Amino acid sequence: MSISSKYCKFASIFNFSTESKMIKRLYNWVLSWSDSKWGWLALFFMALFEASWFPLPPDILLIALCLGATKRSFRFASICLLGSVLGAALGYGIGHFLWITPAGDPTSIAQFFYDHVFSVDTFNNVGELYDKYNFMIVFTAGFTPLPFKIFTIAGGMCDINFVMFMLASVVARGMRFFLIGWLIWKFGAPIKSFIDKYFNLLATLLAVMLIGFTLLAFWLIGGDEPKTEDSEASTTTEIVEEETTSDIQAEQTTEEVILFEEQTQCDATDL
């Protein structure tokens, strides 16, 4: 039995409905590459495009390839990581350069994504998250089952720091793909049922724990959560207001001194 037919039940892991004929055909086409000598190349391009527009996650083909050649699991994980990180940069570029027209309207590319890939509301909600969390939201999207493409494009559109964005992508996607590779390399085919049922849940819980420990560390070390752009802007406003108040008070004090001196001179003249 071929690998593609042997593991065609993986679709349920990633919450893609097998009732959709289009998704089912696409899913079977993806798995068919696991029987090809060019499977590693298909894995690279799938990871590349999944980070910007492709609907199915590369984990599907990664798992099938690792199960077919357990000793090369880490090599497949590395290929998948390279493609996904480059895809993240591609998604960032789409959001940064090709999303909004100079007039402030969505481009035809943006409208295509809104119509076929994700909704306007979903995209706007992600943009609001970027205003507060930056690194943490990229890490969470890269490590958990969240659709990574929404976050890569939104990152470019929101113009978040590119170096930080890429670092978070490397860490999150690397942890996800190498964890899959390690599980299959260590336990082989018997681990399949565990990945089927619990991997996404485990990844989500681990991401929540890591973010929680990070926030706790900031709180213990600095006494506060890491500053966001909003908090920095608020702090700057407060400083400006304090300086303005000080200037006004200084001017009032100077005027009082001048009036006092004039009154003193008038009294001296009367005497």
Side-chain angles (χ1 to χ4, degrees):
M1 182 181 295
S2 66
I3 295 175
S4 58
S5 59
K6 195 175 179 181
Y7 301 105
C8 62
K9 294 183 180 180
F10 277 161
S12 59
I13 310 172
F14 303 101
N15 300 321
F16 287 99
S17 175
T18 53
E19 299 300 320
S20 170
K21 293 182 179 180
M22 184 183 71
I23 292 296
K24 186 183 295 185
R25 287 197 299 267
L26 182 60
Y27 178 81
N28 290 334
W29 175 78
V30 167
L31 277 184
S32 69
W33 285 99
S34 62
D35 297 321
S36 170
K37 66 177 181 179
W38 302 109
W40 64 272
L41 189 59
L43 177 64
F44 171 81
F45 281 107
M46 182 182 297
L48 175 70
F49 295 133
E50 181 271 340
S52 56
W53 61 270
F54 193 71
L56 295 179
D59 310 52
I60 298 171
L61 184 55
L62 173 62
I63 293 171
L65 288 171
C66 290
L67 287 171
T70 306
K71 293 182 179 179
R72 290 190 287 175
S73 294
F74 293 115
R75 181 185 301 178
F76 292 134
S78 300
I79 293 170
C80 198
L81 173 61
L82 178 60
S84 187
V85 170
L86 292 177
L90 175 62
Y92 186 99
I94 292 174
H96 189 73
F97 298 107
L98 304 175
W99 204 254
I100 301 294
T101 65
D105 299 320
T107 63
S108 57
I109 293 177
Q111 195 59 53
F112 173 83
F113 274 82
Y114 290 148
D115 293 338
H116 302 286
V117 182
F118 45 73
S119 68
V120 178
D121 291 338
T122 299
F123 187 78
N124 291 336
N125 290 338
V126 172
E128 292 176 2
L129 291 173
Y130 269 128
D131 290 338
K132 296 181 179 180
Y133 303 109
N134 287 347
F135 181 95
M136 293 182 185
I137 195 63
V138 179
F139 173 84
T140 303
F143 188 63
T144 65
L146 292 172
F148 193 43
K149 60 185 71 62
I150 301 178
F151 295 85
T152 61
I153 296 173
M157 195 273 287
C158 295
D159 197 27
I160 68 170
N161 183 278
F162 182 71
V163 175
M164 181 278 298
F165 170 83
M166 292 301 292
L167 178 61
S169 298
V170 170
V171 173
R173 300 308 262 181
M175 288 179 61
R176 181 176 180 88
F177 298 144
F178 276 92
L179 179 57
I180 291 175
W182 178 80
L183 287 172
I184 297 176
W185 173 80
K186 181 69 174 178
F187 301 103
I191 199 64
K192 171 186 173 294
S193 59
F194 174 83
I195 295 176
D196 284 1
K197 296 179 180 179
Y198 304 115
F199 181 80
N200 281 334
L201 176 61
L202 178 64
T204 302
L205 292 176
L206 183 58
V208 171
M209 291 175 60
L210 288 172
I211 292 172
F213 284 132
T214 301
L215 292 175
L216 179 62
F218 275 114
W219 181 78
L220 291 175
I221 295 173
D224 293 307
E225 294 182 4
K227 288 187 176 181
T228 62
E229 294 179 0
D230 291 340
S231 64
E232 291 176 354
S234 177
T235 302
T236 303
T237 302
E238 291 174 359
I239 293 173
V240 171
E241 290 176 352
E242 290 176 359
E243 291 178 349
T244 303
T245 303
S246 299
D247 291 341
I248 293 173
Q249 292 175 347
E251 290 177 0
Q252 291 176 345
T253 303
T254 302
E255 291 176 356
E256 291 174 357
V257 170
I258 293 173
L259 290 173
F260 177 77
E261 290 177 351
E262 290 178 351
Q263 184 65 39
T264 303
Q265 290 175 359
C266 290
D267 293 343
T269 301
D270 293 339
L271 292 174

